Amino acid sequence: MKAAYINRTGPPEVIEYGELPDPKPTPTQVLVKVGAVDVNPIDTYIRSGAVAMPLKFPYIIGCDLAGTVVECGADVRGLKPGDRVWGSNQSLFGRPGTFAELAAVDERWLYPTPTAQPDTEAAAGALVGITAHMGLFQSAGLKPGETLFVNGGTGGVGSAVVQLGKFAGARVITTVGSAEKKKLCESWGADFAIDYHSPTLDDEIRSCAGPGGIDVWFETQREPTLDRTISMMAPRGRIVLTAGRTARPEFPVGPFYTKDLRLAGFAMFNASPEEQRACAKTIAALYGRGGWKPHIGQTFPLARAADAHRLQEENSTHKKGSLTGKIVLVP
């Protein structure tokens, strides 16, 4: 099979594309003919070596996939050949990655793809959809009528937070970098999409939140500004941190505890298969009801995996701002 893989960690240029042996499913795995994959920031961190993972070279990169089951292990009970599936959490903790024509995946990490959803959308929404759902409802306990804020409403996670939050009945505030992105967020139901270049950005966020403040702040930025965030929070508000691995922001203890606030750190790959499956089931139902449409920014052939990683790194690490939505690759 053709695959995108590395033989050492490093910059995007270490990614190779070529032939590797077809994987053989274990008794609990299924063999998936991959229809689409996507790129996440964590993929670039593992490839570069910034996040240490047990890697067996040649190491196939990639967390997410969508495709069709072609073979099942002897102990697989919930899937059969011909089923369309999607999943995430591969390439982590010794599991092989997904950037290949075929992938052997434990059935615990795979979920039925909605009939009308193409593989490209299913892959694009995998990690970010589960992340948004778990962060909003498991970590933050978002309730209908509450005010939700998320930075970067057209980013991978940000777009999922906007859509899932709005469908849950929240009042959604987000930030964008252009008039085009503002329209896109509004089409997903955002009540307010504010240009983050504005010199009065914080005042505009406060005005949109109203006198009550923000109930849930979903932080997607690598450098969170907790002084600023906490000043905008409503009493008993919740802050969810999903980024900023090396950040060391100052923390205003006084206003934090006198407002009865909560701060939750959250990484979806720590969640159990059962927890992720519950999110996946809800996300699929939302897709069927029109409440969830993963946004694809650019599509590449799998052979251009290095270019896709470079584009992701430019935007997630270097904040270039040239990407809206997810990067999807097709074998």
Side-chain angles (χ1 to χ4, degrees):
M1 68 175 182
K2 294 286 190 182
Y5 59 92
I6 61 173
N7 280 303
R8 62 181 177 89
T9 58
E13 289 73 26
V14 303
I15 298 175
E16 301 179 48
Y17 180 75
E19 290 286 342
L20 288 179
D22 290 358
K24 302 297 182 184
T26 67
T28 62
Q29 289 180 329
V30 301
L31 189 64
V32 179
K33 182 179 180 182
V34 178
V37 297
D38 73 330
V39 187
N40 298 288
I42 185 63
D43 301 327
T44 69
Y45 305 153
I46 295 172
R47 182 221 71 229
S48 70
V51 171
M53 288 280 178
L55 307 181
K56 182 179 179 181
F57 299 117
Y59 169 77
I60 298 173
I61 58 178
C63 285
D64 298 344
L65 83 163
T68 304
V69 174
V70 294
E71 183 182 342
C72 295
D75 296 336
V76 172
R77 296 292 179 265
L79 295 169
K80 64 184 184 303
D83 286 348
R84 295 182 61 235
V85 293
W86 65 276
S88 186
N89 259 37
Q90 302 310 297
S91 80
L92 303 165
F93 310 114
R95 293 188 287 273
T98 60
F99 275 40
E101 294 176 320
L102 295 168
V105 183
D106 194 290
E107 71 168 329
R108 298 179 303 165
W109 299 108
L110 292 172
Y111 323 111
T113 304
T115 302
Q117 188 174 41
D119 286 343
T120 49
E121 281 191 5
L127 184 145
V128 297
I130 294 174
T131 295
H133 191 279
M134 295 194 76
L136 286 173
F137 305 111
Q138 179 173 296
S139 296
L142 180 69
K143 302 177 184 66
E146 289 192 314
T147 297
L148 164 68
F149 173 82
V150 59
N151 280 304
T154 60
V157 172
S159 62
V161 170
V162 168
Q163 293 182 65
L164 271 61
K166 190 60 187 178
F167 204 79
R171 186 165 170 263
V172 179
I173 306 169
T174 190
T175 56
V176 295
S178 68
E180 180 184 1
K181 292 181 179 181
K182 174 181 172 69
K183 290 180 180 178
L184 191 56
C185 283
E186 290 173 344
S187 74
W188 294 329
D191 296 277
F192 304 98
I194 307 166
D195 189 337
Y196 57 69
H197 299 106
S198 171
T200 59
L201 174 61
D202 287 6
D203 289 338
E204 292 177 57
I205 294 173
R206 288 188 175 93
S207 177
C208 293
I214 294 167
D215 297 296
V216 173
W217 183 296
F218 201 113
E219 185 57 80
T220 62
Q221 302 299 299
R222 290 167 56 87
E223 297 293 336
T225 51
L226 293 177
D227 263 315
R228 167 178 175 254
T229 297
I230 289 169
S231 72
M232 299 188 198
M233 297 300 294
R236 298 195 174 182
R238 291 85 70 201
I239 303 165
V240 181
L241 296 179
T242 63
R245 190 176 292 270
T246 62
R248 295 291 186 273
E250 291 189 7
F251 191 89
V253 173
F256 181 81
Y257 82 80
T258 56
K259 283 187 174 183
D260 292 343
L261 301 182
R262 285 189 287 149
L263 178 66
F266 167 65
M268 63 85 72
F269 49 77
N270 292 327
S272 70
E274 293 74 24
E275 289 174 319
Q276 297 205 29
R277 182 170 295 278
C279 294
K281 184 176 180 179
T282 302
I283 291 168
L286 286 177
Y287 183 87
R289 296 163 61 189
W292 168 231
K293 184 176 176 61
H295 182 57
I296 298 171
Q298 292 197 37
T299 302
F300 291 87
L302 187 59
R304 292 184 60 194
D307 293 333
H309 264 235
R310 191 175 298 108
L311 177 61
Q312 180 66 61
E313 208 164 62
E314 288 173 352
N315 283 271
S316 59
T317 303
H318 304 299
K319 301 180 180 180
K320 187 175 180 180
S322 61
L323 178 66
T324 299
K326 297 294 295 181
I327 304 168
V328 169
L329 298 96
V330 178

